[in-house]
Amino acid sequence: MFFSMLSEAWHAMGANRLRTFLTMLGMVIGVSAVVLMMAIGEGAQQAIKKSIDSMGSNLFVILSGSSSTSGSRTGSGNSSALNINDANAIGELDDIAMIAPISTGNAQIIYAGNNWNTVIIGTAPSYFSIRGWNVDSGNLFTETDIRSANRVALIGKTVVENLFGDDVDPIGKTIRIKKSPFMVLGVLEAKGQSFDGRDQDDTIIVPITTAQRKLFGNQIPGSVRMIMAQAKSEKYMETAENAINELIRQRHNIRENTESDFSIRNLTAMAKTASDTARTMSMLLGAIASISLLVGGIGIMNIMLVSVTERTREIGIRMAIGAREKDILLQFLLEACVISIVGCIIGVGLGLGGALMVKKMAGAEILISMQSIALAFSVAASVGVFFGYYPASKAAKLHPIEALRYQ
Amino acid sequence: MINNVIEISGLYKDYDTVAGVFPVLKDVNLTISEGDYVAIMGPSGSGKSTFMNILGCLDRPTQGEYKLDHQSIKSLNGNELAKLRNKTIGFVFQGFNLLSRSTLLDNVSLPLVYANDSKMLRDEKSKKLLEKVGLGQYLNSKPNQISGGQEQRVAIARALINQPRIILADEPTGNLDSKTSEEIMSLFNTLNKEGITIIIVTHENDIADHASRQIRFLDGRIVDDRRNQKFEEIY
Ligand SMILES: Nc1ncnc2c1ncn2[C@@H]1O[C@H](COP(=O)(O)OP(=O)(O)O)[C@@H](O)[C@H]1O
Ligand SMILES: [Mg+2]
């Protein structure tokens, strides 16, 4: 009986094609919006998760320059407030596992007539363990390279692509950074985007001593732009931050109630904020899309109510020849569900198509999960049942005689 | 031995209207035995249709006893009444009441859907019945493609599909010309000969003359109940 009712529901839909189509359109739009928005939202979350994983864990960055006067932060990292001794002192703190002093700057790179402008990071070997960064080929530089300020460089994937192309093996080649020659020691493994959107592979890493003496020569000896510090584990993050703050203030002789000449950024907290924001965004997108699903459901209810009124006489006839209340209920419920599920199938198709188009045209990362499709289906079925139930029960509760007398 | 399929005693039916309670049937008593052929007559508004609807389990009496096949209707719930309408009673209306969107075959087999028969069995039974009422060549037509007389034949086929014990027909020829009416009545005659109890409401004496028993309603009461002499003459 279920199947003959299903086929009847199918035929009832065909009886008024335009109306069925318009009703279904509400579901189609709602479901495709949910699928598309979830694909975009989950894609964004995944992209952020990837870049957070690439960053390293439990990280602080200590910058010179105060943090509160953000309007005039142009000086941030430029003043020479922080030096290598600060860095080493931070490294001695109980809560800190490792530190890496960092100097950065932009420079023009030349190899065999190819030009590329990129970020130069001068740092110590500890930087690689803090960030969990290794070479794809070649070797990392060592403490020896730091001590002798060797002209060796590790280059990122983006730099390799732009300077060497696909055919040349960069290892052992000599590149010119700001005109002075550097030997390529290794190619860094790809890190992708950072959570604030920079390409982490568009960079060259050299020993900090080399960077200071031979690339950014106009700096006070021993000064560093920033210090990266890694806490021993997540639970030391708070105490570590306080300890660093106290330590550097003491070392810089900063009196109480006076602003610091440096600032501490908790990268892990910032990353968490970014991922929380992404999650909130994706939930918001989903919620907005769900509203269109709700509107689609109300459309179904509306049409089913009209349909029940129009077919009152038919309901009377069916009751007169032996339909029970539950038969009538099932009939109209099935019609609502067929509309919403067929609409859902079309909507999932459109949503997936739309997601692929967004990926192609906007280059945005998307993630299509089976869960989101399953969710869309179950929501559509529940919408059909939920919004179809009231009209269907209205039909089932009709009195046979009154239904038959209805003109 | 004669079996009384319908036993009615002290039956009342009131309608609640805006003007207050409106009594339509007042103390109706009636017994109909199996295989009987009853014509119900009476002026418009005398309560014939109301009475038929109660007989057909489409409505419940306000007061009084209605026993169908010795079972009191009062004790039955909605599903049980639906089952009686499906299996025991076949209803034929003045306005045919076919589903306009469905084919004749589907119209006739609709009661079988609610009786849970398989599609194959349904089609087979319906085809046989449509052939019996002379519409074998119209199985897949829609009701609007055939004449009124033919529509009423389809409705009768539908009423017969579950082999009911009783056929209730409320002015079945009311919308038909006299020639077509005669054809429909001869169909009822055949069915009655096959043993089905038939109760038919009509205004016309020619139609009522087909029945073996004639009952007259006036103002919600039975005022006359007699055997039909002509019936004995004809048959
Ligand atoms: N649902 C109803 N509500 C109120 N009054 C009704 C209803 N159905 C029938 N009546 C009234 O009951 C009386 C009997 O109606 P009916 O049984 O249809 O008579 P008949 O079929 O003999 O012409 C009429 O006066 C009619 O107006
Ligand atoms: Mg009437």
Side-chain angles (χ1 to χ4, degrees), chain B residues 11 23-28 45-48 217-222:
Chain B
L11 185 110
V24 177
L25 297 177
K26 302 153 193 168
D27 191 23
V28 175
S46 56
K48 305 182 298 292
F217 268 75
L218 186 64
D219 198 18
R221 292 176 207 273
I222 294 177

Side-chain angles (χ1 to χ4, degrees), chain A residues 1 4 15 311 313-314 317-324 327 399-401 404, chain B residues 53 58-59 79 82 85-86 93 97-99 101 110-111 113-114 116 122 158:
Chain A
M1 173 151 83
S4 51
R311 290 158 65 187
R313 210 178 156 76
E314 175 193 325
I317 295 169
R318 287 174 182 274
M319 287 173 160
I321 61 169
R324 291 158 297 181
D327 295 325
H399 190 284
I401 292 302
L404 277 170
Chain B
N53 291 339
L58 287 163
D59 210 350
N79 286 347
R85 295 197 292 265
N86 188 245
F93 303 89
N97 276 341
L98 300 177
L99 298 186
R101 284 191 284 107
L110 196 56
V113 171
Y114 298 118
N116 245 333
R122 294 201 307 257
R158 182 179 64 188

Side-chain angles (χ1 to χ4, degrees), chain A residues 160-177:
Chain A
V160 174
E161 274 162 32
N162 286 286
L163 225 46
F164 293 93
D166 297 331
D167 306 328
V168 185
D169 179 13
I171 311 292
K173 301 280 184 312
T174 302
I175 55 173
R176 291 183 173 273
I177 305 176

Side-chain angles (χ1 to χ4, degrees), chain B residues 83-141:
Chain B
K83 192 170 175 190
L84 283 178
R85 295 197 292 265
N86 188 245
K87 302 253 191 204
T88 311
I89 300 164
F91 219 108
V92 177
F93 303 89
Q94 179 176 4
F96 320 136
N97 276 341
L98 300 177
L99 298 186
S100 54
R101 284 191 284 107
S102 305
T103 62
L104 303 191
L105 196 70
D106 287 345
N107 262 291
V108 173
S109 62
L110 196 56
L112 296 176
V113 171
Y114 298 118
N116 245 333
D117 276 9
S118 76
K119 167 88 173 143
M120 227 171 65
L121 198 62
R122 294 201 307 257
D123 285 356
E124 193 188 306
K125 284 188 191 170
S126 310
K127 191 159 166 270
K128 223 182 262 172
L129 264 178
L130 275 168
E131 276 160 6
K132 180 175 176 177
V133 299
L135 292 168
Q137 70 272 44
Y138 295 112
L139 299 181
N140 292 310
S141 306

Side-chain angles (χ1 to χ4, degrees), chain A residues 23 25-27 30 290-301 383 387:
Chain A
T23 313
L25 199 60
M27 277 321 280
S290 307
I291 289 173
S292 56
L293 209 56
L294 196 73
V295 174
I298 293 170
I300 288 180
M301 178 136 130
V383 162
F387 288 101

